[in-house]
């Protein structure tokens, strides 16, 4: 594979990060991925999770393609699946710029976008225009900042997009919409999950197919929050959890001056804390609930660490800023070697290996 990113990186990093990101989305929309040539995925990477088949377990995390503008281009980067969104029912501008910061010394990112997106109607059109593909696409739904009933916004997202994505993610863990993360508390989450599952049940009664629904949680949770979320996930028909979103913590180790910016931190410093929460959630759910591990993945070893901690699939975002699209092939190549070296027959064979 020929990787053009190292040549382009100094130019890309010389411009404001949000502008650079918007240019990347435009390039991907035009089919330009920055990498030429890609190998077939090794069969050891194939896996089936919540009833969906994945050629490899490495997905693109939400927030990269908020409006499902570039799903086809993202698929060409070699991801096993792509999650678009977060989309809210009404379009909204998000917070004032600047709202995206590179912490280059720390290989990290801080964002406080605040769900800037073009709304459900636009997102629906994009999904309808997508060619059929064996690479699943997820729709990550959220709530408008000014919504009176935020839970109703999640229900609206699922109703409107039902049948257009292979799975849904209910994102209740963005730190950039005031109060949103309170939906992770027991009573609020029980209500939300109940209403969202009823929306799906209604679609199924109307003759539509079963679409998995996942809940995405924050890394900044107390032990009792994890216990509550785990019991809700176990006792209801929620299909999985995504662990985790960005953190509001600022680890001591951060060196970049931008660490003072408000928002969610992601990238390398999130790897250890998000994997710890992932491991805790796996233990709390007894391994019964499929998990997607996300936060700070920069290598096959990081992806493998998440899988052994309990992830059935993984996702990446921030490290693409530093490594470019070739990161996807690198993670898959390294993961293949690690699985084989440790004698695992498949990804699913290694899920939760640390707990055995
Ligand atoms: C710029 C940016 C925007 C994001 N926007 C969203 C979003 O809209 N919805 C969401 O669920 N997660 C969003 N995330 C969180 C990522 O999906 C991911 O959970 C988090 O960044 C940790 O993974 P990473 O360290 O590989 O980036 C965003 C992350 C970044 C860096």
């Amino acid at each position: 594979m020929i990787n053009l990113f190292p040549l382009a990186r100094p130019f890309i990093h010389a411009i404001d990060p949000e502008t650079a990101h918007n240019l990347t989305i435009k390039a991907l929309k035009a089919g330009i991925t920055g990498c030429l040539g890609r190998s077939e995925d090794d069969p050891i990477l194939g896996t089936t999770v919540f009833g969906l088949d994945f050629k490899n377990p490495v997905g693109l995390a939400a927030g990269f393609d908020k409006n499902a503008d570039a799903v086809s281009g993202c698929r060409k980067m070699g991801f096993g699946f792509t999650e678009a969104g977060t989309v809210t029912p009404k379009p909204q501008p998000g917070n004032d710029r600047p709202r995206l910061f590179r912490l280059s010394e720390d290989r990290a990112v801080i964002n406080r976008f605040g769900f800037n997106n073009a709304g459900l109607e636009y997102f629906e059109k994009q999904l309808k225009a997508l060619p059929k593909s064996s690479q699943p696409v997820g729709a990550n739904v959220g709530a408008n900042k000014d919504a009176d009933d935020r839970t109703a916004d999640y229900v609206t997202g699922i109703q409107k997009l039902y049948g257009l994505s292979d799975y849904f993610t209910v994102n209740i863990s963005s730190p950039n919409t005031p109060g949103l993360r309170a939906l992770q508390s027991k009573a609020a989450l029980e209500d939300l999950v109940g209403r969202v599952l009823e929306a799906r049940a209604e679609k199924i009664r109307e003759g539509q197919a079963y679409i998995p629904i996942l809940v995405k949680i924050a890394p900044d949770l107390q032990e009792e929050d994890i216990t509550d979320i785990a019991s809700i996930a176990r006792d209801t028909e929620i299909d999985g959890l995504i662990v985790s979103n960005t953190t509001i913590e600022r680890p001591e180790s951060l060196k970049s001056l931008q660490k003072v910016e408000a928002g969610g931190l992601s990238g390398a410093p999130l790897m250890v804390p998000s994997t710890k929460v992932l491991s805790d959630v796996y233990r709390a759910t007894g391994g019964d609930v499929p998990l997607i591990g996300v936060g700070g993945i920069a290598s096959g070893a990081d992806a493998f660490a998440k899988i052994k901690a309990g992830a059935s699939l993984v996702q990446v975002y921030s490290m693409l800023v530093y490594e470019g699209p070739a990161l996807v092939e690198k993670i898959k190549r390294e993961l293949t070697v690690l699985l084989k070296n440790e004698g695992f027959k498949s990804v699913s064979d290694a899920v939760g290996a640390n707990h055995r």
Side-chain angles (χ1 to χ4, degrees), residues 7-15:
L7 293 174
R9 182 172 39 210
F11 301 101
I12 296 172
H13 282 205
I15 47 182

Side-chain angles (χ1 to χ4, degrees), residues 61-63 66 86 100 111 140 171 216 244-245 266-267 294-296 317-318:
K66 287 191 184 265
T86 296
L100 176 62
N111 92 83
N140 178 309
N171 176 17
K216 183 166 179 179
S244 73
N245 215 308
S266 55
V294 51
Y317 181 169
S318 298

Side-chain angles (χ1 to χ4, degrees), residues 61-64 66 83 85-87 99-100 109-111 113 115 140 169 171 173-174 216 242 244-246 264-268 270-271 294-297 315-319:
F64 184 90
K66 287 191 184 265
E83 188 169 314
T86 296
V87 60
R99 51 194 180 174
L100 176 62
V109 170
I110 290 177
N111 92 83
F113 272 114
F115 289 168
N140 178 309
T169 298
N171 176 17
S173 47
S174 167
K216 183 166 179 179
I242 305 190
S244 73
N245 215 308
T246 57
L265 174 77
S266 55
L270 186 56
M271 175 63 201
V294 51
I297 295 177
Q315 290 177 324
V316 293
Y317 181 169
S318 298
M319 293 313 290

